[in-house]
Amino acid sequence: MSLRPYIPIDIDNLPEMFEFDFGSVTYKIQVAYNTVMEAFTIDILTAMSEPIIMGEVLVLNEKLWSESSDQRLPFEDIIPMDESGEETTITKDNFGKTVFLYIDQLSPDDVDQTNGVLNG
């Protein structure tokens, strides 16, 4: 059982576009696999299909869209990660199995870094 909620991705059906609500705001998200770079990418658009950020490469444990100050982006931190801490990269073999797009609502103090469980 994961400690954080995550955005489900059907990697067998890429590219996949879907709507996702962050709070009261609906976004369109597209996840794709770039065979040249051998990397997963993500696009985020407004509900009216206006591009916000296109082609961001997913990097393990790095917050999405961290380089942008676009006010239209969700306030939530979305981080591709493996909560067990075992994976070192995102691959076709682990994305959607052990690596997920987590909505990181936990502070570092909430999780015991040794065993990956909630403190308290």
Side-chain angles (χ1 to χ4, degrees):
M1 182 173 128
S2 66
L3 303 174
R4 299 164 182 86
Y6 64 88
I7 301 169
I9 306 293
D10 181 3
I11 66 160
D12 294 326
N13 216 10
L14 296 181
E16 176 185 26
M17 180 174 274
F18 54 91
E19 290 188 351
F20 197 85
D21 294 331
F22 291 101
S24 63
V25 180
T26 300
Y27 295 89
K28 289 185 179 177
I29 295 176
Q30 178 167 286
V31 177
Y33 186 75
N34 182 312
T35 56
V36 174
M37 295 184 340
E38 295 186 357
F40 291 93
T41 61
I42 189 166
D43 304 333
I44 187 165
L45 304 92
T46 67
M48 301 303 291
S49 298
E50 299 166 341
I52 300 174
I53 295 182
M54 307 298 284
E56 171 121 356
V57 175
L58 299 181
V59 178
L60 192 67
N61 300 323
E62 288 191 19
K63 181 179 135 184
L64 294 178
W65 314 303
S66 62
E67 301 293 318
S68 176
S69 59
D70 193 310
Q71 298 297 314
R72 298 172 295 170
L73 287 168
F75 291 107
E76 293 83 357
D77 290 340
I78 298 106
I79 304 172
M81 70 171 89
D82 165 25
E83 283 189 325
S84 74
E86 294 180 19
E87 302 293 352
T88 57
T89 60
I90 302 172
T91 67
K92 284 183 167 182
D93 292 329
N94 65 23
F95 191 48
K97 295 179 182 80
T98 57
V99 174
F100 298 93
L101 289 180
Y102 285 102
I103 302 168
D104 193 18
Q105 300 172 330
L106 301 176
S107 75
D109 295 335
D110 291 335
V111 180
D112 181 323
Q113 299 302 314
T114 304
N115 59 21
V117 298
L118 291 174
N119 286 324

